[in-house]
């Protein structure tokens, strides 16, 4: 079974990072306000990023990694801006 890590933008512009084994069902739940208190309170706006991973352990590790990132870095990932993503990663090292 494959898993997905995803980033949702909420109506208040907050970003939510999660993982699931069924992305379409999970997005449907978010849209209905089911499952995540964070998204239910802020309102589901849209999916801005997803990636597929081979197993749940990998998905959880990736989710935790992305959750530690700044908002700017999450947005760069969602936009596919690898140059900005690298620059933001480097700025944290200095």
């Amino acid at each position: 079974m494959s898993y997905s890590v995803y980033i949702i933008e909420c109506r208040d512009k907050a970003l939510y990072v999660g993982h699931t084994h069924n992305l379409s069902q999970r997005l449907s739940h978010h849209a209905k306000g089911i499952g995540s208190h964070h998204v239910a309170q802020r309102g589901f706006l849209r999916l801005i990023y997803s990636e597929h991973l081979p197993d749940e352990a990998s998905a959880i590790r990736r989710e935790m990694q992305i959750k530690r990132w700044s908002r700017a870095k999450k947005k760069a990932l969602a936009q596919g801006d690898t140059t900005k993503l690298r620059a933001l990663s480097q700025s944290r090292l200095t």
Side-chain angles (χ1 to χ4, degrees):
M1 177 181 302
S2 69
Y3 284 77
S4 298
V5 173
Y6 60 93
I7 302 174
I8 287 174
E9 183 176 15
C10 298
R11 286 191 188 121
D12 69 355
K13 303 301 179 193
L15 299 178
Y16 175 84
V17 180
H19 80 278
T20 183
H21 69 280
N22 186 333
L23 186 58
S24 61
Q25 180 182 41
R26 187 69 173 135
L27 294 176
S28 175
H29 286 171
H30 281 306
K32 293 174 186 172
I34 302 169
S36 165
H37 183 71
H38 180 90
V39 177
Q41 280 191 321
R42 289 161 176 78
F44 175 82
L45 181 62
R46 64 189 174 114
L47 174 71
I48 63 168
Y49 177 78
S50 68
E51 68 181 78
H52 301 288
L53 295 141
D55 55 60
E56 187 173 25
S58 299
I60 291 170
R61 279 192 303 275
R62 182 66 167 153
E63 176 187 2
M64 294 298 111
Q65 177 187 35
I66 294 170
K67 280 184 173 184
R68 290 189 303 267
W69 291 359
S70 67
R71 177 182 177 79
K73 195 169 175 181
K74 290 172 190 169
K75 292 288 267 188
L77 175 67
Q79 294 165 353
D81 190 340
T82 55
T83 303
K84 187 172 183 178
L85 194 56
R86 264 189 239 107
L88 289 166
S89 295
Q90 291 298 318
S91 70
R92 297 255 336 203
L93 298 175
T94 57

